[in-house]
Amino acid sequence: MWTVISLGSARRALLSAAMAGSLLFGATGCGDDGDDDGLPKDYKVVAGTQLCGGKAMSAEASRALKVITGSSRFEASAKKYAVAQAAKDMVEAFPPTVMEDACRIYTPLHTPEFELRITWRLGSSAPTDEPADPKFTVLKMGEKALAAADQAYVYFACRSDKFSPTAAAHIVIGVEHRDPWKEPEDNIKALKDAYATVAHSFSLAMAKELRCEKNGGLLERPVLDPA
């Protein structure tokens, strides 16, 4: 039988092992690599607005993260998980690409485990097809937005001097939490709105970072009414 272990779980196992090692060294008088609580010195817990480089999550998106995860505090994002870095990677990858990581969001250690994945992709054209899965609600944000109770996607066109001078880049930002063992059953509308809000916030931050004309057609606040 195959055992499936998520990257987030494996990462937490490594952190827990590091903590255990810190505690052991502390007990023997050699705990200089960690704080008094056994955590590595670079381990920080922050508010939602400080995640993903500090410009990706609005106050509204931070509140949405609490709806999704049940927490208002999160592990600080790694330096590579920032809007500015994702924008740089996107420009270097142009034209169209496969899906890439933009940010990972984790609840703190010693709290219920939750991992949220934010991704980006460059498409070849504007979206035209309706979603095949009926769990998605179509929203009018950018070129199109799709929201479900465990994921959301915002598609927007970016005309910018960072890309082609003659054609728009078609960008897809995704926010996902896929639990193979449990589908959301409660608060479906609230979860859809929350995922869409987080996806919109990151998309808008990306559009601003890329200097997209008219912010890629994205408004300052998410549009959560069905299209």
Side-chain angles (χ1 to χ4, degrees), residues 88-113:
K88 180 181 178 182
D89 293 343
M90 191 180 296
V91 171
E92 292 175 352
F94 187 77
T97 63
V98 297
M99 187 170 64
E100 302 284 353
D101 275 343
C103 189
R104 294 286 182 97
I105 296 174
Y106 302 94
T107 47
L109 290 169
H110 310 311
T111 66
E113 182 178 346

mmCIF file of all heavy atoms in Angstrom, residues 88-113:
data_model
loop_
_atom_site.group_PDB
_atom_site.id
_atom_site.type_symbol
_atom_site.label_atom_id
_atom_site.label_comp_id
_atom_site.label_asym_id
_atom_site.label_seq_id
_atom_site.Cartn_x
_atom_site.Cartn_y
_atom_site.Cartn_z
ATOM 1 N N LYS A 88 8.811 38.597 -10.972
ATOM 2 C CA LYS A 88 10.091 38.458 -11.681
ATOM 3 C C LYS A 88 10.164 37.117 -12.401
ATOM 4 O O LYS A 88 10.572 37.040 -13.574
ATOM 5 C CB LYS A 88 11.242 38.582 -10.674
ATOM 6 C CG LYS A 88 12.618 38.450 -11.304
ATOM 7 C CD LYS A 88 13.711 38.553 -10.243
ATOM 8 C CE LYS A 88 15.091 38.361 -10.870
ATOM 9 N NZ LYS A 88 16.168 38.401 -9.832
ATOM 10 N N ASP A 89 9.764 36.053 -11.721
ATOM 11 C CA ASP A 89 9.775 34.723 -12.327
ATOM 12 C C ASP A 89 8.844 34.670 -13.532
ATOM 13 O O ASP A 89 9.144 34.031 -14.549
ATOM 14 C CB ASP A 89 9.354 33.668 -11.305
ATOM 15 C CG ASP A 89 10.361 33.509 -10.178
ATOM 16 O OD1 ASP A 89 11.509 33.954 -10.332
ATOM 17 O OD2 ASP A 89 9.972 32.945 -9.127
ATOM 18 N N MET A 90 7.705 35.337 -13.419
ATOM 19 C CA MET A 90 6.717 35.331 -14.488
ATOM 20 C C MET A 90 7.261 36.026 -15.739
ATOM 21 O O MET A 90 7.110 35.534 -16.854
ATOM 22 C CB MET A 90 5.436 36.025 -14.015
ATOM 23 C CG MET A 90 4.257 35.851 -14.949
ATOM 24 S SD MET A 90 2.786 36.707 -14.330
ATOM 25 C CE MET A 90 2.483 35.807 -12.801
ATOM 26 N N VAL A 91 7.900 37.157 -15.552
ATOM 27 C CA VAL A 91 8.463 37.900 -16.685
ATOM 28 C C VAL A 91 9.551 37.074 -17.367
ATOM 29 O O VAL A 91 9.621 37.000 -18.600
ATOM 30 C CB VAL A 91 9.027 39.255 -16.219
ATOM 31 C CG1 VAL A 91 9.814 39.928 -17.331
ATOM 32 C CG2 VAL A 91 7.894 40.163 -15.748
ATOM 33 N N GLU A 92 10.378 36.423 -16.565
ATOM 34 C CA GLU A 92 11.455 35.606 -17.121
ATOM 35 C C GLU A 92 10.915 34.370 -17.841
ATOM 36 O O GLU A 92 11.542 33.852 -18.767
ATOM 37 C CB GLU A 92 12.417 35.182 -16.014
ATOM 38 C CG GLU A 92 13.226 36.342 -15.428
ATOM 39 C CD GLU A 92 14.088 35.926 -14.257
ATOM 40 O OE1 GLU A 92 13.944 34.766 -13.797
ATOM 41 O OE2 GLU A 92 14.919 36.746 -13.813
ATOM 42 N N ALA A 93 9.730 33.910 -17.447
ATOM 43 C CA ALA A 93 9.153 32.699 -18.024
ATOM 44 C C ALA A 93 8.333 32.975 -19.285
ATOM 45 O O ALA A 93 8.024 32.049 -20.027
ATOM 46 C CB ALA A 93 8.267 32.006 -16.993
ATOM 47 N N PHE A 94 7.949 34.230 -19.500
ATOM 48 C CA PHE A 94 7.097 34.580 -20.647
ATOM 49 C C PHE A 94 7.732 34.074 -21.931
ATOM 50 O O PHE A 94 8.936 34.238 -22.129
ATOM 51 C CB PHE A 94 6.933 36.111 -20.703
ATOM 52 C CG PHE A 94 5.944 36.573 -21.738
ATOM 53 C CD1 PHE A 94 4.590 36.473 -21.488
ATOM 54 C CD2 PHE A 94 6.373 37.113 -22.940
ATOM 55 C CE1 PHE A 94 3.678 36.913 -22.438
ATOM 56 C CE2 PHE A 94 5.460 37.546 -23.887
ATOM 57 C CZ PHE A 94 4.115 37.446 -23.625
ATOM 58 N N PRO A 95 6.998 33.419 -22.883
ATOM 59 C CA PRO A 95 5.546 33.240 -22.982
ATOM 60 C C PRO A 95 4.985 32.112 -22.114
ATOM 61 O O PRO A 95 5.631 31.755 -21.136
ATOM 62 C CB PRO A 95 5.353 32.948 -24.472
ATOM 63 C CG PRO A 95 6.630 32.259 -24.870
ATOM 64 C CD PRO A 95 7.714 32.908 -24.045
ATOM 65 N N PRO A 96 3.770 31.552 -22.477
ATOM 66 C CA PRO A 96 3.007 30.664 -21.588
ATOM 67 C C PRO A 96 3.810 29.550 -20.917
ATOM 68 O O PRO A 96 4.758 29.015 -21.502
ATOM 69 C CB PRO A 96 1.939 30.087 -22.523
ATOM 70 C CG PRO A 96 1.714 31.168 -23.510
ATOM 71 C CD PRO A 96 3.065 31.787 -23.742
ATOM 72 N N THR A 97 3.418 29.221 -19.709
ATOM 73 C CA THR A 97 4.145 28.262 -18.888
ATOM 74 C C THR A 97 3.182 27.317 -18.179
ATOM 75 O O THR A 97 1.962 27.478 -18.241
ATOM 76 C CB THR A 97 4.949 28.980 -17.793
ATOM 77 O OG1 THR A 97 4.025 29.661 -16.938
ATOM 78 C CG2 THR A 97 5.919 29.979 -18.382
ATOM 79 N N VAL A 98 3.760 26.352 -17.487
ATOM 80 C CA VAL A 98 2.985 25.502 -16.594
ATOM 81 C C VAL A 98 2.786 26.235 -15.270
ATOM 82 O O VAL A 98 3.364 27.287 -15.034
ATOM 83 C CB VAL A 98 3.705 24.162 -16.347
ATOM 84 C CG1 VAL A 98 3.840 23.397 -17.646
ATOM 85 C CG2 VAL A 98 5.077 24.398 -15.721
ATOM 86 N N MET A 99 1.974 25.671 -14.395
ATOM 87 C CA MET A 99 1.684 26.286 -13.101
ATOM 88 C C MET A 99 2.923 26.284 -12.208
ATOM 89 O O MET A 99 3.651 25.300 -12.140
ATOM 90 C CB MET A 99 0.542 25.529 -12.420
ATOM 91 C CG MET A 99 0.031 26.169 -11.148
ATOM 92 S SD MET A 99 -1.479 25.371 -10.573
ATOM 93 C CE MET A 99 -0.892 23.712 -10.210
ATOM 94 N N GLU A 100 3.158 27.402 -11.527
ATOM 95 C CA GLU A 100 4.298 27.550 -10.633
ATOM 96 C C GLU A 100 3.825 28.066 -9.272
ATOM 97 O O GLU A 100 2.791 28.718 -9.169
ATOM 98 C CB GLU A 100 5.311 28.545 -11.210
ATOM 99 C CG GLU A 100 5.854 28.187 -12.582
ATOM 100 C CD GLU A 100 6.886 27.076 -12.524
ATOM 101 O OE1 GLU A 100 7.272 26.679 -11.406
ATOM 102 O OE2 GLU A 100 7.316 26.613 -13.600
ATOM 103 N N ASP A 101 4.599 27.783 -8.237
ATOM 104 C CA ASP A 101 4.278 28.292 -6.910
ATOM 105 C C ASP A 101 4.557 29.787 -6.814
ATOM 106 O O ASP A 101 5.578 30.269 -7.294
ATOM 107 C CB ASP A 101 5.104 27.575 -5.836
ATOM 108 C CG ASP A 101 4.472 26.274 -5.400
ATOM 109 O OD1 ASP A 101 3.278 26.069 -5.667
ATOM 110 O OD2 ASP A 101 5.177 25.453 -4.795
ATOM 111 N N ALA A 102 3.650 30.511 -6.165
ATOM 112 C CA ALA A 102 3.858 31.928 -5.862
ATOM 113 C C ALA A 102 4.031 32.134 -4.365
ATOM 114 O O ALA A 102 4.843 32.951 -3.927
ATOM 115 C CB ALA A 102 2.683 32.760 -6.365
ATOM 116 N N CYS A 103 3.273 31.390 -3.567
ATOM 117 C CA CYS A 103 3.370 31.511 -2.110
ATOM 118 C C CYS A 103 2.751 30.279 -1.474
ATOM 119 O O CYS A 103 1.854 29.651 -2.048
ATOM 120 C CB CYS A 103 2.649 32.783 -1.638
ATOM 121 S SG CYS A 103 2.909 33.171 0.119
ATOM 122 N N ARG A 104 3.232 29.937 -0.294
ATOM 123 C CA ARG A 104 2.631 28.893 0.541
ATOM 124 C C ARG A 104 2.284 29.515 1.883
ATOM 125 O O ARG A 104 3.105 30.240 2.460
ATOM 126 C CB ARG A 104 3.595 27.716 0.734
ATOM 127 C CG ARG A 104 3.911 26.925 -0.537
ATOM 128 C CD ARG A 104 2.759 26.062 -0.969
ATOM 129 N NE ARG A 104 3.062 25.282 -2.151
ATOM 130 C CZ ARG A 104 3.480 24.004 -2.126
ATOM 131 N NH1 ARG A 104 3.643 23.398 -0.960
ATOM 132 N NH2 ARG A 104 3.719 23.358 -3.247
ATOM 133 N N ILE A 105 1.107 29.229 2.371
ATOM 134 C CA ILE A 105 0.644 29.772 3.650
ATOM 135 C C ILE A 105 0.397 28.614 4.605
ATOM 136 O O ILE A 105 -0.315 27.657 4.254
ATOM 137 C CB ILE A 105 -0.638 30.605 3.460
ATOM 138 C CG1 ILE A 105 -0.338 31.824 2.583
ATOM 139 C CG2 ILE A 105 -1.220 31.041 4.808
ATOM 140 C CD1 ILE A 105 -1.566 32.636 2.214
ATOM 141 N N TYR A 106 0.980 28.702 5.814
ATOM 142 C CA TYR A 106 0.858 27.637 6.811
ATOM 143 C C TYR A 106 0.362 28.213 8.133
ATOM 144 O O TYR A 106 0.804 29.295 8.549
ATOM 145 C CB TYR A 106 2.213 26.970 7.074
ATOM 146 C CG TYR A 106 2.873 26.360 5.861
ATOM 147 C CD1 TYR A 106 3.804 27.080 5.125
ATOM 148 C CD2 TYR A 106 2.572 25.050 5.468
ATOM 149 C CE1 TYR A 106 4.436 26.512 4.013
ATOM 150 C CE2 TYR A 106 3.195 24.483 4.365
ATOM 151 C CZ TYR A 106 4.119 25.220 3.643
ATOM 152 O OH TYR A 106 4.734 24.658 2.550
ATOM 153 N N THR A 107 -0.505 27.478 8.807
ATOM 154 C CA THR A 107 -0.844 27.826 10.181
ATOM 155 C C THR A 107 0.351 27.507 11.076
ATOM 156 O O THR A 107 1.190 26.666 10.735
ATOM 157 C CB THR A 107 -2.087 27.048 10.644
ATOM 158 O OG1 THR A 107 -1.928 25.659 10.284
ATOM 159 C CG2 THR A 107 -3.358 27.596 10.008
ATOM 160 N N PRO A 108 0.470 28.167 12.229
ATOM 161 C CA PRO A 108 1.654 27.963 13.075
ATOM 162 C C PRO A 108 1.757 26.542 13.631
ATOM 163 O O PRO A 108 0.761 25.819 13.723
ATOM 164 C CB PRO A 108 1.444 28.974 14.211
ATOM 165 C CG PRO A 108 0.497 29.985 13.666
ATOM 166 C CD PRO A 108 -0.409 29.223 12.741
ATOM 167 N N LEU A 109 2.963 26.173 13.994
ATOM 168 C CA LEU A 109 3.171 24.909 14.694
ATOM 169 C C LEU A 109 2.359 24.876 15.984
ATOM 170 O O LEU A 109 2.088 25.913 16.589
ATOM 171 C CB LEU A 109 4.653 24.731 15.011
ATOM 172 C CG LEU A 109 5.568 24.458 13.815
ATOM 173 C CD1 LEU A 109 7.018 24.577 14.238
ATOM 174 C CD2 LEU A 109 5.295 23.075 13.238
ATOM 175 N N HIS A 110 1.968 23.673 16.387
ATOM 176 C CA HIS A 110 1.178 23.435 17.598
ATOM 177 C C HIS A 110 -0.262 23.942 17.461
ATOM 178 O O HIS A 110 -0.951 24.127 18.461
ATOM 179 C CB HIS A 110 1.839 24.061 18.837
ATOM 180 C CG HIS A 110 3.278 23.707 18.998
ATOM 181 N ND1 HIS A 110 3.742 22.412 18.923
ATOM 182 C CD2 HIS A 110 4.370 24.488 19.216
ATOM 183 C CE1 HIS A 110 5.051 22.398 19.099
ATOM 184 N NE2 HIS A 110 5.457 23.644 19.266
ATOM 185 N N THR A 111 -0.700 24.194 16.230
ATOM 186 C CA THR A 111 -2.097 24.545 15.959
ATOM 187 C C THR A 111 -2.598 23.581 14.891
ATOM 188 O O THR A 111 -1.793 22.886 14.248
ATOM 189 C CB THR A 111 -2.239 25.994 15.457
ATOM 190 O OG1 THR A 111 -1.600 26.123 14.171
ATOM 191 C CG2 THR A 111 -1.609 26.978 16.435
ATOM 192 N N PRO A 112 -3.924 23.488 14.672
ATOM 193 C CA PRO A 112 -4.415 22.605 13.607
ATOM 194 C C PRO A 112 -3.728 22.900 12.275
ATOM 195 O O PRO A 112 -3.654 24.043 11.841
ATOM 196 C CB PRO A 112 -5.912 22.927 13.553
ATOM 197 C CG PRO A 112 -6.243 23.338 14.950
ATOM 198 C CD PRO A 112 -5.034 24.105 15.432
ATOM 199 N N GLU A 113 -3.209 21.858 11.638
ATOM 200 C CA GLU A 113 -2.399 22.033 10.433
ATOM 201 C C GLU A 113 -3.253 22.418 9.239
ATOM 202 O O GLU A 113 -4.305 21.824 8.968
ATOM 203 C CB GLU A 113 -1.646 20.741 10.120
ATOM 204 C CG GLU A 113 -0.734 20.835 8.916
ATOM 205 C CD GLU A 113 0.030 19.545 8.683
ATOM 206 O OE1 GLU A 113 0.059 18.700 9.590
ATOM 207 O OE2 GLU A 113 0.590 19.390 7.582
#
